Amino acid sequence: MATTGSGAPVQSATADREIVISRVIDAPPELVFEAFTDVRHLSRWWGPDGFTTTTTSLEFRAGGEWDFVMHGPDGTDYSEWITWTEITRPERIAMLHGESRGDPNAFESVLTFERDGTATRIEMRTVFPTKELRDEAAEKYHAIEGGQQTLGNLAAYVAEMAEQGADD
């Protein structure tokens, strides 16, 4: 958070539309970033606890798209679409995420991967078009808990990747 000259906190212009989740993952940024680059990785960890993911298509590059379906533990399917708007290896991924291309309620997310000793601090900052959509995501869809679970699943998967790499 920024501060003013008097030391008082300055709230960002989007603070009432944001959800910010972070986690330290015990692996270097290059390995954590790699987990985002390929369908074989994403399908193993993406989503909250109990969800699975089926990918229709994935092109991981700026301007590329990921079409997929998240399958909820109750059997509900959620069609999803992401377009990657910026990729800076291994520090940053920016994306637009909605139910489909042209979704007026699509939201923007920026993931940053910052080295923290031998670990990585990942931050997922999501900005919704309106405060109401942010509140609905948080209250109806449990986006904060789901995001924390998703980063937990990423951490567990990256630990497996690191272990398998050590076995090679």
Side-chain angles (χ1 to χ4, degrees):
M1 180 179 300
T3 59
T4 63
S6 64
V10 175
Q11 187 170 1
S12 78
T14 59
D16 66 340
R17 298 186 290 126
E18 290 181 350
I19 294 176
V20 180
I21 301 167
S22 65
R23 181 181 182 109
V24 175
I25 296 177
D26 191 21
E30 295 80 8
L31 191 59
V32 178
F33 193 93
E34 182 184 333
F36 280 88
T37 65
D38 192 299
V39 67
R40 68 189 164 100
H41 296 311
L42 282 165
S43 64
R44 298 274 310 277
W45 65 267
W46 184 268
D49 295 348
F51 280 74
T52 59
T53 301
T54 302
T55 294
T56 306
S57 65
L58 172 73
E59 187 175 7
F60 188 76
R61 63 168 181 81
E65 296 181 353
W66 181 23
D67 285 300
F68 60 103
V69 176
M70 291 182 62
H71 310 284
D74 64 355
T76 303
D77 288 341
Y78 302 90
S79 294
E80 301 285 326
W81 168 86
I82 287 175
T83 187
W84 316 105
T85 57
E86 178 189 344
I87 299 170
T88 306
R89 296 177 184 272
E91 296 102 24
R92 180 180 165 95
I93 299 172
M95 65 181 107
L96 183 64
H97 185 161
E99 291 182 4
S100 61
R101 181 182 296 130
D103 181 351
N105 298 328
F107 50 88
E108 297 175 357
S109 292
V110 174
L111 294 92
T112 55
F113 305 79
E114 182 180 321
R115 187 172 301 279
D116 186 355
T118 60
T120 301
R121 173 171 294 283
I122 184 171
E123 179 182 271
M124 184 167 46
R125 179 174 300 271
T126 301
V127 179
F128 293 84
T130 66
K131 178 186 182 314
E132 292 73 24
L133 286 170
R134 182 256 184 236
D135 292 347
E136 179 182 32
E139 294 163 16
K140 182 177 178 183
Y141 297 107
H142 310 286
I144 295 168
E145 298 88 344
Q148 291 168 338
Q149 291 172 7
T150 298
L151 291 185
N153 293 336
L154 170 61
Y157 179 70
V158 168
E160 285 179 30
M161 287 175 67
E163 186 176 301
Q164 290 171 355
D167 292 342
D168 291 343

